[in-house]
Amino acid sequence: MFLNRRLRLTELSLLAIPATLAVLGAALMSLMRKAEVSTDNLQPAILIVGLLFVMHVVLFLRRPASDQVLLPLAGALIALGLTLVSRLAPSYFERQVAWVILGCLLALLIVSLPGSLLWLRRYKYTWAVLGIGLVGTTIVFGVDPNGSGARLWLGFGDYLFQPSEILKILSVFFVASYLDDKQELLSLDTFKFSFLKVPGLPYLMPLLIMWGLSVLLLLGQKDLGPTFLVFGVFLAMLYAASSRPVYVWAGLGLLLLAAFGSYHLIGHAQARIDVWLDPWSDPQGNGYQIVQALVAFASGGILGKGLGFGYPLLIPAVHTDFPMAAIGEEMGLLGTLAIVALYLVFTYRGLKIALEAPDSFQQLLAMGLTVTIGLQALIIIAGNLKLIPLTGITLPFISYGGNSLITNFIILGLLLRISDATRRAT
């Protein structure tokens, strides 16, 4: 047991799965395009596999007690994502590989740095102001490279980033820090209203103001996906810190109120909800994307048509908005269930890390980071299956998108560090 923990044998053996998926996916794409497997086509996959094993070595040297399942899970999702981008958007493949490399390097940096993560809680208002400020600057300096009508990006030329992705992590830093400071006060009954017992408003007000500003900014940008994601993560962390069901019910009520207001005040939201309710009313117009996605799922069956044998490119923006529809068509129900299982296990391991963390701050931090990944996956998968309106956020580690990938790798690195601190403490 000690030898496995020290040498990370479980992680090393599990890394064979993403290595096989990456090389096999690259080989299949090469066969589909050139009817042969060339070394040039395998090089990106071999490079990514090499980076995963480098991360394993660094964890062995720097964080030997960290979780041994998270890296293989993330590696499997990355391998599937690269194969999917190569299949659906080959012109973006090299850029996606570059983002994966950068993300791996950032995760390596995070797990290599000395010290603990407790210093993060000293700057809680700095994280809040920084996140809100970055999102707020898009109102003045934001660009709209996709012509969607929403100026969600900052940068120049081809070098753009989406501040809402950074806000996801910074908001978790802020909420975890604040709740750690006020956790005992939030669990006390200091204010009564009829049958409800809630903490005094002075304890909640700074948290609500900072969180409310970020949500209002996102709503003002018509960026509904990150809005509901930030809301959900905030609500989960608040419940974890206080163990008060009243927060859940109040939060769900506010969510319904926000959805109702968005429907009547934001035309973009109204259009998405109308299309979600009845895409067949306009199958060649606004409902075309959802209709084609449903057809793709239906045509995939149990086993799928096989990689390269479906027609997922009939779905607009399939590589960003509808990756699960492409997987459902070409890999079938079994493929989609396998993806869901990977996210479930990732979420389980993250929550396990949170439960075992050595202090309350790292518990809340690990939970917030894990819920960010799990809830984001749930939202996009449910949107692809038409269970909820499509929100436009990406599928973690799989969809094309550099900003999302970088955020996911940062979360991976932080969770690995927290798990190492946990096991060292025990």
Side-chain angles (χ1 to χ4, degrees), residues 160-202:
L160 301 173
F161 72 96
Q162 200 167 1
S164 61
E165 289 292 336
I166 302 175
L167 179 63
K168 289 191 301 188
I169 294 182
L170 295 180
S171 64
V172 171
F173 288 172
F174 165 67
V175 175
S177 303
Y178 188 89
L179 291 177
D180 182 48
D181 286 343
K182 307 295 183 182
Q183 188 168 3
E184 292 185 5
L185 295 173
L186 290 172
S187 61
L188 298 176
D189 297 327
T190 59
F191 180 76
K192 296 182 179 180
F193 180 76
S194 184
F195 63 91
L196 294 178
K197 298 179 181 180
V198 298
L201 289 180

Side-chain angles (χ1 to χ4, degrees), residues 132-421:
I132 293 171
L134 280 173
V135 175
T137 54
T138 59
I139 297 176
V140 180
F141 302 106
V143 296
D144 179 19
N146 303 319
S148 62
R151 298 164 59 183
L152 307 177
W153 303 78
L154 291 176
F156 56 92
D158 294 331
Y159 301 96
L160 301 173
F161 72 96
Q162 200 167 1
S164 61
E165 289 292 336
I166 302 175
L167 179 63
K168 289 191 301 188
I169 294 182
L170 295 180
S171 64
V172 171
F173 288 172
F174 165 67
V175 175
S177 303
Y178 188 89
L179 291 177
D180 182 48
D181 286 343
K182 307 295 183 182
Q183 188 168 3
E184 292 185 5
L185 295 173
L186 290 172
S187 61
L188 298 176
D189 297 327
T190 59
F191 180 76
K192 296 182 179 180
F193 180 76
S194 184
F195 63 91
L196 294 178
K197 298 179 181 180
V198 298
L201 289 180
Y203 306 133
L204 279 176
M205 194 57 66
L207 185 66
L208 293 174
I209 289 174
M210 292 296 181
W211 168 79
L213 284 174
S214 63
V215 169
L216 287 175
L217 282 171
L218 291 172
L219 280 174
Q221 293 179 311
K222 304 176 184 179
D223 200 5
L224 300 181
T227 301
F228 291 114
L229 178 61
V230 169
F231 185 96
V233 173
F234 165 78
L235 188 61
M237 295 177 69
L238 186 58
Y239 175 70
S242 64
S243 301
R244 306 295 296 269
V246 64
Y247 291 129
V248 177
W249 297 113
L252 291 176
L254 288 174
L255 180 63
L256 292 174
L257 183 62
F260 180 80
S262 299
Y263 180 80
H264 289 87
L265 298 176
I266 302 176
H268 177 66
Q270 183 175 6
R272 286 203 170 187
I273 293 176
D274 289 341
V275 167
W276 167 63
L277 292 173
D278 186 13
W280 302 99
S281 63
D282 189 14
Q284 297 298 322
N286 292 331
Y288 181 78
Q289 194 179 33
I290 294 179
V291 168
Q292 290 300 321
L294 294 176
V295 171
F297 277 117
S299 62
I302 302 296
L303 300 177
K305 293 185 174 181
L307 195 62
F309 291 95
Y311 299 94
L313 294 178
L314 293 176
I315 307 171
V318 64
H319 59 296
T320 56
D321 291 352
F322 278 91
M324 287 300 288
I327 293 170
E329 181 177 10
E330 299 197 340
M331 302 181 191
L333 177 63
L334 292 181
T336 58
L337 291 179
I339 299 295
V340 172
L342 289 174
Y343 286 116
L344 286 175
V345 178
F346 190 100
T347 303
Y348 165 75
R349 299 299 295 193
L351 293 178
K352 185 173 184 291
I353 291 170
L355 288 172
E356 298 174 352
D359 55 79
S360 59
F361 170 71
Q362 293 190 80
Q363 286 178 345
L364 291 167
L365 181 62
M367 182 187 178
L369 296 172
T370 301
V371 172
T372 298
I373 293 287
L375 186 58
Q376 183 171 335
L378 175 63
I379 290 173
I380 187 64
I381 292 173
N384 280 197
L385 291 169
K386 197 184 168 293
L387 297 176
I388 62 173
L390 190 67
T391 57
I393 61 177
T394 57
L395 189 62
F397 293 112
I398 289 183
S399 293
Y400 170 76
N403 297 276
S404 178
L405 267 177
I406 295 300
T407 301
N408 298 332
F409 273 107
I410 292 174
I411 291 174
L412 174 64
L414 291 171
L415 287 175
L416 288 170
R417 283 200 59 161
I418 296 172
S419 64
D420 180 71

